[in-house]
Amino acid sequence: MFRAGQRLGGRAATTGTAPRHRTRVARTDRTAPKGKERQPSDELQTKVITMRMSRTLGRTLGAAATALGLATAMAAAALMTASPASAATLTEVTNFGTNPTNLRMHLYVPDRVAARPGILVAMHYCTGSGPAFYSGTQFASLADRYGFIVIYPSATRSGQCFDVYSSEGLRRNGASDHTGIISMVQYVIQRYNGDPNRVFATGSSSGAMMTNVMLALYPDVFRAGAAFAGVPFTCFATTGGSTWNSQCANGQVIRSAQEWGNAVRNANPGYNGPWPRMQLWHGTNDETLRYPNFNEEIKQWTNVHGLSQTPTYTDSPQAGYTRTRYGSSGPQAPVEAISMQGVTHNLPINAAEAIRFFGLDNTTPPTTPPVQTTPPIPPTTPPVQTTPPIPPTTPPVTGGCSATVVSLDQWPGGFVATVRVTAGSAGTNGWRVTLTLPSGATIVNAWNADRSGNSGTVQFTNVSYNGRLGPGQTTEFGFQGVGTGTGMTTSSCSAS
């Protein structure tokens, strides 16, 4: 059920992988006429979240088909052979309800949606977006297979991290991201006859932290969640407007199971309904949200369910992975935890295993797709940037590629930079960026690129999942350094 061959920071070779979706965004408004429902017509951020949690999750694809098993894969192949190619697209929805932090909402409704579809909220990593998470994971492909609907929220504050730290962000119905996400869920339930008893949440990194928040604040809405490299609810809480909790990130917030469980219960005083089930994933070599957070999450959710921290069931679904279940030995235990030996914060997103845990893989969508009354409308203007990027240090080029430093966040003794690579008119099969650091600056960590050197002139090359770019397409990589980043220059970008 799990894929083998995981390579750290990259994508494992796999066979039988469900097709990745290519993002084509149409816009819609809640006031669109009912007949057109099939295409329903935005300081310094968390220093290390922004710098390290930026993860292009496309590197983790490939788990879906192997997780579902050979028989399921053969049945899906037969189904796809007999059915026309999917025409469903990712759609941006506006005016979906109360949205205090100006989140953006993208929605994926498969062509063959179930009569009473389940709903999955899939939340991105820092510096990511809903469309990037859509393109980089297999949740939409699995929605095609099983007929559920996927909501992809996008954080729009600087750094594009979800609020998992403020007092409003940790209070039910507070003026923060979670309230906007609940509005998205309610919108889908009302507009698409969604099943309110089958609403789920998942995410990676910042999105995994937000998964813990959503389940803790709204146990009456979410039935289960899957958190890929997160921290317990309230672990990242800060005061004074700070967006970063270094003690939590470093795995130094250690509490009793009862204390963690009380944090969830105190967020919903008087609630006596069932608590959401939780699936937890964490790499032992996580350098951003360190591994002790995994055990703290287990303590929190087992206590919420009134369970011991002693596993009911333990196995090794693939080499280096240890899976423990609490409260049941079955595939939908109240708490399931997967420890991934040697894996960093770049952990794979095993979408199929999450869908299996949710129970969304037992839905049969209708055999005849609904008639679409209008084709999707491509966007006429690009999304508005709320914060202007730093001016390019190198001019764009017609062929090859160009590289631009689009953000530079600094604090005494350190900095984080994000670099955007843009393909020229011929596209790229791979790229290399040469960057010169100021004197005394040293790189200590990088993501979404391999690097050669740590100081002076440093070269960054694409990794397996972001080298191929179409004409004009972009990808981003980032790095953390000590010293100052002021004065760095990107001297060249070459394409292959």
Side-chain angles (χ1 to χ4, degrees):
M1 295 177 68
F2 288 70
R3 83 168 190 235
Q6 161 67 15
R7 183 169 65 83
L8 300 187
R11 196 160 92 196
T14 183
T15 59
T17 303
R20 232 191 323 186
H21 285 74
R22 305 180 72 180
T23 306
R24 183 154 63 100
V25 179
R27 292 184 63 87
T28 186
D29 192 282
R30 188 172 181 176
T31 58
K34 291 282 185 178
K36 298 186 178 181
E37 290 182 1
R38 292 305 306 155
Q39 293 297 333
S41 81
D42 146 78
E43 85 255 352
L44 176 63
Q45 257 315 304
T46 308
K47 298 174 190 134
V48 183
I49 273 193
T50 302
M51 63 195 172
R52 295 183 179 170
M53 297 169 85
S54 168
R55 298 291 186 252
T56 305
L57 295 178
R59 59 180 163 249
T60 64
L61 301 182
T66 52
L68 292 172
L70 180 59
T72 304
M74 291 175 63
L79 177 61
M80 288 188 285
T81 301
S83 303
S86 173
T89 58
L90 188 66
T91 301
E92 182 166 9
V93 178
T94 59
N95 300 326
F96 50 82
T98 303
N99 185 21
T101 52
N102 297 316
L103 299 181
R104 294 175 67 183
M105 174 185 179
H106 288 84
L107 189 65
Y108 186 77
V109 182
D111 290 324
R112 299 189 306 118
V113 68
R116 191 72 161 151
I119 300 168
L120 174 62
V121 179
M123 293 169 285
H124 63 77
Y125 43 90
C126 281
T127 77
S129 66
F133 207 52
Y134 160 83
S135 297
T137 58
Q138 289 182 327
F139 293 113
S141 294
L142 292 166
D144 287 335
R145 187 176 302 172
Y146 299 117
F148 58 88
I149 294 173
V150 191
I151 298 169
Y152 296 94
S154 292
T156 54
R157 63 180 53 84
S158 175
Q160 295 164 252
C161 302
F162 290 104
D163 177 9
V164 296
Y165 43 82
S166 77
S167 58
E168 290 296 297
L170 299 174
R171 179 176 67 85
R172 183 182 172 105
N173 299 322
S176 191
D177 295 346
H178 55 79
T179 295
I181 292 172
I182 290 297
S183 294
M184 298 178 193
V185 171
Q186 292 170 341
Y187 173 91
V188 173
I189 290 173
Q190 294 167 10
R191 190 173 181 109
Y192 294 95
N193 194 34
D195 188 345
N197 294 314
R198 292 195 304 142
V199 179
F200 307 94
T202 189
S204 175
S205 195
S206 178
M209 299 162 79
M210 196 65 187
T211 297
N212 278 271
V213 168
M214 298 308 298
L215 268 63
L217 293 183
Y218 301 96
D220 53 328
V221 175
F222 294 94
R223 292 299 170 261
F228 292 85
V231 302
F233 173 67
T234 71
C235 180
F236 226 76
T238 63
T239 58
S242 174
T243 62
W244 176 248
N245 187 321
S246 59
Q247 281 190 312
C248 179
N250 290 329
Q252 297 170 339
V253 178
I254 307 299
R255 297 172 182 162
S256 69
Q258 185 68 33
E259 290 173 317
W260 283 125
N262 286 343
V264 176
R265 287 182 288 268
N266 291 342
N268 296 274
Y271 178 73
N272 57 8
W275 293 99
R277 296 180 299 109
M278 179 63 95
Q279 184 186 65
L280 303 165
W281 302 74
H282 222 105
T284 61
N285 289 5
D286 193 316
E287 73 285 12
T288 301
L289 300 175
R290 296 190 180 274
Y291 187 68
N293 283 302
F294 179 58
N295 189 54
E296 299 306 294
E297 286 179 296
I298 293 173
K299 287 157 65 174
Q300 182 166 69
W301 290 104
T302 52
N303 185 265
V304 166
H305 283 276
L307 302 172
S308 165
Q309 285 76 63
T310 301
T312 304
Y313 173 89
T314 302
D315 72 348
S316 181
Q318 74 174 63
Y321 283 33
T322 300
R323 176 171 57 191
T324 51
R325 290 172 176 161
Y326 303 83
S328 170
S329 60
Q332 293 183 356
V335 180
E336 180 175 271
I338 300 91
S339 173
M340 307 158 77
Q341 181 64 40
V343 176
T344 67
H345 197 62
N346 282 352
L347 81 177
I349 307 301
N350 195 326
E353 273 296 293
I355 296 306
R356 184 273 306 163
F357 180 75
F358 297 154
L360 284 171
D361 60 348
N362 58 14
T363 301
T364 303
T367 57
T368 303
V371 176
Q372 295 182 4
T373 57
T374 57
I377 302 172
T380 57
T381 58
V384 177
Q385 292 182 328
T386 58
T387 303
I390 295 174
T393 57
T394 58
V397 294
T398 302
C401 60
S402 63
T404 303
V405 180
V406 294
S407 70
L408 176 61
D409 292 334
Q410 297 197 100
W411 60 94
F415 65 93
V416 178
T418 301
V419 179
R420 179 176 299 149
V421 177
T422 303
S425 58
T428 69
N429 291 316
W431 46 263
R432 176 181 288 113
V433 173
T434 302
L435 183 146
T436 302
L437 296 175
S439 176
T442 302
I443 295 176
V444 296
N445 187 29
W447 49 94
N448 298 340
D450 293 325
R451 76 181 189 275
S452 175
N454 296 317
S455 60
T457 300
V458 183
Q459 287 190 336
F460 297 86
T461 56
N462 65 276
V463 286
S464 61
Y465 52 84
N466 63 2
R468 186 181 297 275
L469 301 174
Q473 288 187 334
T474 65
T475 189
E476 293 182 355
F477 67 89
F479 55 91
Q480 174 194 3
V482 296
T484 179
T486 300
M488 77 171 71
T489 59
T490 53
S491 55
S492 68
C493 181
S494 59
S496 59

